[in-house]
């Protein structure tokens, strides 16, 4: 069983065979179940004299669980040994839903997943080196280490990503029982928040793919203190234009809340509107853009479904296109606004001029 409040890991062994011939390494096989799923394992240790002499347990483990497979090898220090433990691991799953009991995703999630890396353990610290995570098309690498923050256990980490496919990842929480994404083992959001360690995690992501557009060169630091997530300051590019954004969350609220405030300078508003699915028949640029989103939910999908949107633009020129690309109207924009309450249709307002004639459009 893990830390206080954590669910225990329930295991059962139906058959176990361990043997070691004189001078050979210890070998074994086991059949049973882990968290209710059938499991099969094979393992090898060191020689009995060598383990007793060096106080170190070298091992190789191969564990099959449904369509997932874990391979690990390394050396664990026994009590009294004057050396650290090192473990290399490689976990692969044809369907991440097969690991739903461990990860809190939907059992129907079908993305392939893999994670591999190395962890080093000592009596006082741990280090995670060169860990690579692949989930569908998304790719991340991570390095992390334990540390003390104001005398409390904490984590420092760096995360680098070549691609995050947000549309794919949204399927991880779709199709759960009765429409709920989390499994019965998921803890309430308030409990999860208060259990977070103090952490500083530096993110740099080359591409984040949305429905029909991409964010590029995202950079931000996730910082938690006393179980609270500090406001995020994010920089990046959208439709090749630099932006800044601030994100604030309240994970203790029921349900949790999160807000986004994003602003840019001159931007191709037509390309952005098409990418976000707001409009396909607008071309042109605006001098400034401000986007505010406030939502509630326990998962990204639930948050999006219960979000309110407010987009404001000022300055610039827009063209409304008709059939075969014909221009229905060219508008000089003084100000425009697009908004929607949670679950409501988008509405747009625009003030400007058409051929020097003031117009207001709703």
């Amino acid at each position: 069983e893990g830390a206080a409040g954590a669910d225990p890991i329930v295991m059962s062994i139906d058959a176990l065979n361990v043997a070691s011939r004189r001078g050979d390494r210890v070998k074994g096989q086991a059949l049973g179940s882990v968290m209710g799923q059938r499991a099969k394992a094979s393992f090898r240790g060191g020689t009995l004299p060598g383990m007793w002499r060096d106080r170190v347990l070298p091992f190789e483990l191969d564990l099959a669980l449904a369509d997932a497979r874990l391979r690990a090898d390394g050396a664990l220090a026994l009590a009294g040994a004057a050396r650290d433990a090192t473990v290399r691991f490689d976990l692969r799953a044809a369907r991440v839903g097969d690991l739903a009991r461990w990860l809190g995703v939907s059992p129907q999630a079908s993305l392939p997943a893999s994670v591999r890396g190395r962890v080093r353990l000592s009596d006082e610290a741990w280090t995670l080196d060169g860990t690579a995570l692949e989930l569908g098309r998304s790719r991340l690498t991570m390095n992390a280490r334990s540390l003390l923050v104001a005398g409390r256990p904490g984590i420092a980490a760096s995360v680098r990503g070549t691609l995050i496919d947000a549309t794919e990842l949204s399927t991880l929480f779709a199709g759960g029982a009765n429409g709920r994404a989390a499994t019965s083992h998921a803890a309430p959001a308030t409990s999860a928040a208060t259990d977070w360690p103090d952490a500083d995690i530096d993110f740099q992501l080359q591409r984040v793919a949305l429905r029909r557009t991409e964010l590029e060169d995202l950079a931000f630091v996730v910082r938690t203190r006393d179980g609270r997530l500090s406001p995020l300051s994010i920089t990046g590019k959208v439709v090749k234009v630099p932006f800044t954004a601030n994100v604030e969350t309240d994970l203790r609220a029921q349900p949790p809340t999160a807000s986004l405030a994003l602003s840019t300078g001159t931007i191709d508003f037509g390309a952005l509107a098409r990418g976000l699915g707001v409009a396909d028949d607008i071309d042109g640029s605006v001098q400034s853009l401000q986007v505010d989103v406030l939502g509630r939910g326990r998962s990204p999908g639930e948050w999006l479904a219960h979000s309110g949107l407010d987009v404001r633009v000022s300055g610039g020129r827009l063209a409304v296109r008709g059939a075969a690309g014909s221009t229905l109207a060219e508008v000089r924009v003084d100000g425009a606004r697009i908004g929607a309450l949670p679950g409501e249709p988008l509405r747009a307002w625009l003030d400007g001029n058409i051929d020097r004639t003031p117009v207001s459009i709703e």
Side-chain angles (χ1 to χ4, degrees):
E1 187 170 346
D7 289 337
I9 299 175
V10 180
M11 304 174 62
S12 65
I13 297 177
D14 299 328
L16 175 64
N17 179 28
V18 180
S20 176
R21 295 182 178 180
R22 183 186 297 271
D24 286 346
R25 299 176 64 179
V26 175
K27 299 179 182 179
Q29 299 85 34
L31 295 174
S33 65
V34 179
M35 300 293 286
Q37 291 183 303
R38 297 299 299 169
K40 179 181 180 181
S42 62
F43 57 90
R44 292 201 306 170
T47 63
L48 291 175
M51 291 187 292
W52 182 259
R53 179 186 64 250
D54 300 331
R55 311 297 296 166
V56 172
L57 174 62
F59 75 95
E60 297 174 12
L61 172 68
D62 191 332
L63 172 66
L65 185 70
D67 286 332
R69 191 161 194 169
L70 170 65
R71 290 186 173 93
D73 67 84
L76 302 178
L78 301 178
R83 60 175 290 177
D84 296 343
T86 301
V87 177
R88 291 172 294 274
F89 58 89
D90 188 339
L91 173 64
R92 299 176 186 270
R95 295 178 61 261
V96 71
D98 292 333
L99 303 175
R101 290 178 177 269
W102 309 87
L103 303 179
V105 300
S106 167
Q108 283 73 47
S110 60
L111 296 180
S114 70
V115 58
R116 58 190 181 276
R118 181 180 68 171
V119 60
R120 291 181 290 174
L121 306 168
S122 68
D123 292 338
E124 299 179 353
W126 57 264
T127 302
L128 194 64
D129 296 325
T131 297
L133 171 65
E134 299 180 4
L135 191 54
R137 296 174 61 224
S138 300
R139 301 287 187 272
L140 289 174
T141 58
M142 181 174 67
N143 294 284
R145 60 185 176 87
S146 62
L147 75 166
L148 291 178
V149 179
R152 292 160 44 92
I155 298 171
S158 65
V159 178
R160 302 292 181 261
T162 55
L163 172 64
I164 301 296
D165 191 325
T167 303
E168 267 195 349
L169 296 181
S170 68
T171 65
L172 296 177
F173 304 97
N178 300 321
R180 295 189 301 271
T183 68
S184 60
H185 293 272
T190 52
S191 173
T194 57
D195 288 344
W196 284 2
D198 291 349
D200 292 295
I201 308 176
D202 173 29
F203 284 83
Q204 294 185 25
L205 309 176
Q206 293 180 20
R207 295 169 55 211
V208 176
L210 305 176
R211 278 180 53 199
R212 292 189 292 175
T213 193
E214 288 187 351
L215 304 179
E216 298 176 299
D217 301 332
L218 287 184
F220 55 95
V221 176
V222 173
R223 179 172 288 109
T224 60
R225 293 293 185 271
D226 299 324
R228 296 180 180 274
L229 179 63
S230 300
L232 301 182
S233 179
I234 304 173
T235 60
K237 294 180 181 178
V238 58
V239 292
K240 307 299 183 181
V241 174
F243 72 84
T244 60
N246 294 304
V247 176
E248 295 190 11
T249 60
D250 184 356
L251 300 179
R252 288 175 167 81
Q254 290 296 334
T257 63
S259 65
L260 166 69
L262 179 149
S263 61
T264 75
T266 301
I267 189 170
D268 186 336
F269 186 77
L272 179 64
R274 289 188 293 275
L276 296 177
V278 174
D280 292 325
D281 50 6
I282 295 178
D283 287 329
S285 62
V286 296
Q287 294 176 3
S288 68
L289 169 72
Q290 176 70 40
V291 180
D292 294 289
V293 184
L294 174 63
R296 298 176 178 270
R298 292 178 175 83
S299 70
E302 186 178 343
W303 182 81
L304 287 172
H306 297 88
S307 289
L309 174 69
D310 186 19
V311 179
R312 299 174 186 243
V313 300
S314 61
R317 291 184 177 274
L318 299 177
V320 181
R321 304 299 183 188
S326 61
T327 301
L328 299 181
E330 291 188 356
V331 183
R332 190 194 75 195
V333 179
D334 294 328
R337 184 174 181 181
I338 300 172
L341 296 174
E344 295 293 327
L346 285 171
R347 298 183 182 276
W349 301 263
L350 183 146
D351 291 322
N353 288 268
I354 299 179
D355 296 331
R356 298 184 179 180
T357 300
V359 296
S360 294
I361 302 173
E362 179 177 347

